[in-house]
Amino acid sequence: MNGELNGERAGEWTAQWVADPRFTELEPPYLYHKELEKPEHPPVDPELANQHMLVRKSFRLEEPCSEAYLRITADDYYKLYINGQFVGQGPAQGYAHHFYYNSFDVSGFLQPGENVIAVHVYYHGLICRSYSSGDNRQGLIAELWGDGRLLAATDESWRYNQAEEYGKAEIIGYNTQFLENVDLRRRVKGWTDRTFDDSSWPCVKSHPQHGHTLVQLPTPSLAVYRRSPAAVQEIEGGLFLDFGTELTGQVKVSVSGPAGEQVEIRYGEELDGQGRVRYIMRCNCVYRDTWILSGDEDELEAYDYKAFRFAEILVGSQVKLSMASIAAVVRHYPYPEQACRFESSYSRLNAIWSICANGVRYGTQENYVDCPSREKGQYLGDNTIITHAHAYLTGDLRMYRKALEDFTLLAGELCPGLLAVAPGHYMQEIADFSLQWPMQLLRYYKLSGDVDFLRSMHPVAEGVLAYFAQYLGEDGLLHSVNGKWNLVDWPDNLRDGYNFNLVNGEADGCHNVINSFYYGALQAVGEIRQALGLPLADEGLEAFRQAFLERFYRPEKGLFADAVGSEHCSLHANALPLLYGLAPEEAKAPIVALIREKRLSCGVYMAYFVLKALAAAGEYGLLYELIVSDDLHSWNTMVEEGATTCFEAWSKELKWNTSLCHPWASAPVPLFIEDIAGLTPLAPGWTTIAFEPHFPESLEWFRLAFPIPGGEIVLECRDGDVRLSVPDHCTVIRPGQI
């Protein structure tokens, strides 16, 4: 059972929103604004940031429940326990006007007699990418139903207590996270158990004007599970842990020692030069939590998650660790291990596939994140690549669909041109990213066949075009798109010398990349109109193409320049016109020659578009060569540097604050499936499958399986023998038939 409410109660709540009384009199500030406006917000009260609240409700059941579910959400976050057992956590980030709640099947947690619901509520309190916070909204709403009866609902009979063990702590990332300095002498022990006496706790306050519009989360709740370390060894002062791969979560361990003794847990994605955990991380996080022991046996487990592979538990001589208790509590969006399977005769390709798949696994939390360390935010441009890879690796398109919708939630109120980060209160705008949303929507439709969703989202795609139309000059091209940041690529040292002023808000003039993406968006919206049977308005594609050629094409070179008035021909300014069909036939060979010369002289993000451009030009040999190359700018560099998840940049040293888990680097997964294996949906939802393989001769064999709606595709190639299996309802169209 997925906890879906029946029809008559789906939009109604009996429960009340309840909160810490300190928040009930506060007015939520209006935090939405155009990025460059930078309004003044009321200062954050430090006493109201990083707040942990414990909430309980006891109730009695006279007989077992055959079916029971609990729906719950909190601002900013919660962890839910019933009768001392962990049930789940959430919610996914949202806005107050579209705030997600979870629904859990809790039949197996209840028992006849006394029961207790216990919730650990966390309010972050800062404007950032990781939580929708800094708005004075705090609290909890929950209700439990069993066999059609309301068993418990939040109201002023629920009791609460401040979790006073959390002391002042350093902020890490970009206001992303507080370190956890915990004094266990102040912890309330056993508070999640049904036998705990909470009669001395005060009651929560109802908060009817909190302003949340609640929406059931359309995706599954996080998977949360234990994982033992792959290796444990003694070091001076404690233990060193290696979990074998980068993961997302926190260390859990039971310890005992005298009251006042301190334990320190350090986390890191890599080791330093002395073989110790590099906890002062290159990605601008300092991963060091401290715990002061109570004198009894204590269980150490941080509330918030980190991205790490290695950890150290440092203790004094009088502290004893329970070796059997040491584990990581791992969390990420449910990842079906056997949904997508790949193996080949080439170990390098296997390793590249593995780091990309792991990057997507751990980079998919309640939403896609650009990285699970420094920002923990969902970026629209990153999603072009992440959604593409995630769709093939899991076959689960619910997160893809939710991500598309997340970016529309402020389109009407704030900007039809869309934000770069959503949901949340961090207002960032990137023009290149906004123009990719219609393309992401079109791909979702092709992969899913979900025409109803396409129809509902079509006005947003039109709104994106309308927003950018305000920047069209007399020549029909975009000029001075300075209401949003023109990114081109990131980090900025990997833009191949792109010759245009890209300072945010100062994009004065007409440049190539933003116009290339605009043309791609025009094409995508045209296809969407066609799929919906709508009249094909005159998008002016040919006129735009001619204006683009006149302004940027340098026929004497057979290449495109970066900007009007520039003669510099970067990789970026040529790959995108090749990809979107802006390049004339005679320019294709010079552009391919440029890519062959420059290789991937770009960031990992832009590499996706460069490789797709090679596929569009039929250059599959070079495409595969670049995926598996041993250049500095390659996925092999990540592997050679010890990656277990794909990096933010090609090498740890190519960016000043590189994240070592960044799923925007997962391009090899969709590129191999679509452009090397040659499998694409010819009809929406894969009912008709195009099969046009381009197997490299150097690859002796491979086996690939991935899910599609209604089944899976299995492709095996060994010594020229090709076997393709598809679901019965699918038709395969081979080369020459297309």
Side-chain angles (χ1 to χ4, degrees):
M1 156 177 150
N2 64 6
E4 184 71 40
L5 293 173
N6 64 32
E8 65 245 28
R9 288 198 301 270
E12 302 172 2
W13 284 74
T14 301
Q16 303 171 29
W17 194 279
V18 297
D20 178 333
R22 293 178 298 169
F23 287 87
T24 57
E25 302 300 322
L26 299 177
E27 287 293 326
Y30 187 81
L31 298 177
Y32 307 137
H33 61 88
K34 297 286 289 176
E35 179 184 4
L36 297 177
E37 291 173 359
K38 300 189 183 305
E40 290 293 325
H41 296 305
V44 172
D45 183 347
E47 297 301 317
L48 296 180
N50 195 30
Q51 292 297 301
H52 294 258
M53 181 176 78
L54 313 179
V55 183
R56 282 175 50 93
K57 177 63 177 179
S58 297
F59 61 97
R60 186 170 182 82
L61 285 178
E62 299 302 331
E63 56 187 34
C65 286
S66 60
E67 185 177 79
Y69 58 86
L70 185 146
R71 55 179 182 170
I72 181 173
T73 193
D75 201 338
D76 298 322
Y77 205 74
Y78 70 85
K79 292 188 178 182
L80 168 67
Y81 305 84
I82 294 181
N83 294 332
Q85 297 184 67
F86 174 77
V87 177
Q89 60 190 60
Q93 283 176 260
Y95 300 104
H97 69 276
H98 191 98
F99 203 81
Y100 293 114
Y101 69 86
N102 302 90
S103 188
F104 294 101
D105 180 348
V106 296
S107 309
F109 294 90
L110 301 178
Q111 60 188 48
E114 288 297 317
N115 291 265
V116 68
I117 300 169
V119 189
H120 186 160
V121 178
Y122 177 62
Y123 177 73
H124 181 68
L126 304 179
I127 295 174
C128 62
R129 301 160 178 86
S130 55
Y131 293 101
S132 296
S133 197
D135 58 354
N136 294 333
R137 291 183 170 95
Q138 184 269 354
L140 165 74
I141 188 168
E143 57 185 37
L144 172 65
W145 293 82
D147 295 336
R149 296 177 295 116
L150 181 64
L151 304 178
T154 47
D155 58 24
E156 291 191 349
S157 69
W158 289 48
R159 297 184 179 273
Y160 84 100
N161 194 59
Q162 294 300 320
E164 296 179 348
E165 65 267 29
Y166 293 91
K168 292 190 180 297
E170 181 180 351
I171 300 168
I172 60 173
Y174 295 156
N175 282 345
T176 303
Q177 184 171 358
F178 287 87
L179 293 183
E180 298 185 35
N181 298 326
V182 185
D183 187 342
L184 295 167
R185 296 170 298 186
R186 307 182 72 181
R187 172 177 283 181
V188 180
K189 292 185 179 294
W191 72 275
T192 65
D193 298 338
R194 61 191 179 91
T195 57
F196 179 80
D197 180 6
D198 62 14
S199 60
S200 64
W201 287 18
C203 292
V204 291
K205 295 295 183 182
S206 63
H207 199 355
Q209 301 304 317
H210 215 289
H212 292 85
T213 299
L214 302 179
V215 179
Q216 181 158 359
L217 184 68
T219 58
S221 300
L222 290 185
V224 182
Y225 56 92
R226 288 172 57 93
R227 177 166 160 182
S228 298
V232 180
Q233 68 182 68
E234 291 187 9
I235 57 174
E236 182 181 355
L239 293 178
F240 168 86
L241 314 177
D242 179 359
F243 288 92
T245 66
E246 177 125 354
L247 52 82
T248 46
Q250 58 275 351
V251 167
K252 185 173 185 177
V253 59
S254 295
V255 304
S256 59
E261 281 285 321
Q262 182 169 300
V263 175
E264 185 175 305
I265 302 182
R266 299 175 176 179
Y267 300 83
E269 297 180 300
E270 57 186 320
L271 303 180
D272 64 17
Q274 286 71 50
R276 299 292 294 268
V277 172
R278 182 173 174 171
Y279 66 94
I280 303 175
M281 298 164 66
R282 65 176 73 238
C283 70
N284 192 38
C285 293
V286 179
Y287 275 175
R288 176 178 57 194
D289 293 336
T290 59
W291 306 78
I292 298 174
L293 302 187
S294 69
D296 298 326
E297 183 171 349
D298 290 312
E299 186 172 78
L300 315 186
E301 180 187 350
Y303 187 88
D304 209 345
Y305 78 95
K306 299 175 175 66
F308 67 99
R309 172 180 173 176
F310 305 103
E312 291 176 357
I313 306 174
L314 303 178
V315 300
S317 60
Q318 299 184 70
V319 176
K320 294 183 180 180
L321 301 173
S322 168
M323 299 296 290
S325 71
I326 298 173
V329 179
V330 184
R331 54 163 277 170
H332 53 73
Y333 186 77
Y335 188 92
E337 292 286 346
Q338 295 302 310
C340 181
R341 306 177 299 281
F342 176 79
E343 57 181 340
S344 79
S345 57
Y346 192 16
S347 59
R348 179 182 294 178
L349 179 60
N350 297 342
I352 291 169
W353 186 283
S354 176
I355 66 171
C356 292
N358 273 340
V360 171
R361 178 201 308 252
Y362 297 114
T364 309
Q365 297 291 324
E366 289 95 352
N367 44 263
Y368 299 116
V369 297
D370 72 323
C371 67
S373 54
R374 186 179 59 243
E375 285 107 336
K376 296 185 179 178
Q378 180 171 239
Y379 269 80
L380 180 51
D382 297 45
N383 276 7
T384 295
I385 304 147
I386 304 171
T387 57
H388 206 176
H390 188 257
Y392 284 123
L393 290 168
T394 68
D396 184 349
L397 296 173
R398 291 171 292 183
M399 181 62 83
Y400 191 158
R401 174 179 167 139
K402 173 183 170 294
L404 286 166
E405 189 173 18
D406 283 344
F407 284 94
T408 72
L409 297 177
L410 286 181
E413 179 173 0
L414 183 68
C415 180
L418 307 183
L419 295 171
V421 186
H425 297 142
Y426 186 81
M427 304 285 104
Q428 187 171 18
E429 301 183 59
I430 300 176
D432 318 45
F433 288 6
S434 296
L435 289 166
Q436 292 168 43
W437 189 91
M439 305 180 216
Q440 294 173 17
L441 174 62
L442 179 62
R443 184 189 300 119
Y444 170 80
Y445 168 64
K446 290 180 177 180
L447 293 174
S448 69
D450 187 349
V451 70
D452 291 337
F453 184 73
L454 183 73
R455 185 174 291 108
S456 70
M457 292 289 107
H458 165 242
V460 180
E462 296 283 1
V464 171
L465 293 186
Y467 171 84
F468 282 94
Q470 68 181 300
Y471 295 104
L472 292 173
E474 292 183 1
D475 58 3
L477 299 179
L478 299 180
H479 288 253
S480 301
V481 184
N482 50 27
K484 298 179 184 288
W485 184 20
N486 292 223
L487 180 75
V488 174
D489 203 355
W490 195 252
D492 55 6
N493 58 313
L494 293 178
R495 289 174 175 155
D496 192 32
Y498 194 78
N499 185 17
F500 188 75
N501 178 18
L502 296 170
V503 174
N504 198 2
E506 299 181 13
D508 185 19
C510 182
H511 72 104
N512 180 312
V513 164
I514 201 67
N515 278 282
S516 293
F517 277 129
Y518 181 70
Y519 187 76
L522 287 172
Q523 291 177 314
V525 173
E527 285 192 57
I528 290 169
R529 292 171 185 157
Q530 188 173 17
L532 295 175
L534 299 174
L536 296 181
D538 180 15
E539 301 98 343
L541 285 173
E542 184 54 33
F544 185 95
R545 182 171 179 270
Q546 290 304 317
F548 188 94
L549 288 170
E550 182 179 338
R551 291 289 191 162
F552 300 118
Y553 186 52
R554 305 294 182 258
E556 68 282 2
K557 300 178 181 178
L559 298 172
F560 289 88
D562 299 346
V564 172
S566 171
E567 294 301 316
H568 185 262
C569 301
S570 67
L571 179 68
H572 305 66
N574 285 275
L576 292 175
L578 182 62
L579 171 60
Y580 294 124
L582 285 159
E585 191 63 35
E586 64 271 17
K588 292 180 181 178
I591 293 175
V592 170
L594 180 77
I595 298 173
R596 193 179 302 277
E597 173 193 350
K598 288 181 174 285
R599 315 286 281 179
L600 296 178
S601 56
C602 59
V604 176
Y605 151 76
M606 183 54 62
Y608 170 87
F609 299 97
V610 174
L611 296 176
K612 290 301 287 184
L614 288 174
E619 294 289 336
Y620 301 100
L622 180 55
L623 187 163
Y624 178 74
E625 178 187 329
L626 291 176
I627 287 177
V628 299
S629 82
D630 58 4
D631 298 345
L632 173 61
H633 289 198
S634 72
W635 283 272
N636 184 62
T637 296
M638 303 181 199
V639 173
E640 292 294 318
E641 292 185 3
T644 56
T645 52
C646 46
F647 293 172
E648 182 181 8
W650 299 116
S651 167
K652 297 174 183 178
E653 305 302 332
L654 285 176
K655 188 173 184 286
W656 60 94
N657 59 351
T658 308
S659 152
L660 303 189
C661 181
H662 224 87
W664 77 347
S666 56
V669 170
L671 266 292
F672 188 92
I673 290 173
E674 293 184 352
D675 302 310
I676 302 300
L679 291 160
T680 54
L682 199 56
W686 294 88
T687 54
T688 304
I689 300 168
F691 179 46
E692 191 170 3
H694 305 96
F695 304 143
E697 292 183 5
S698 60
L699 195 59
E700 296 175 7
W701 63 267
F702 72 87
R703 186 177 190 276
L704 168 69
F706 63 92
I708 61 171
E712 73 170 1
I713 295 175
V714 180
L715 175 63
E716 297 183 71
C717 179
R718 186 180 293 271
D719 300 325
D721 179 28
V722 178
R723 299 182 182 181
L724 176 65
S725 171
V726 303
D728 292 340
H729 70 279
C730 299
T731 300
V732 176
I733 306 297
R734 296 176 181 269
Q737 298 177 296
I738 300 175

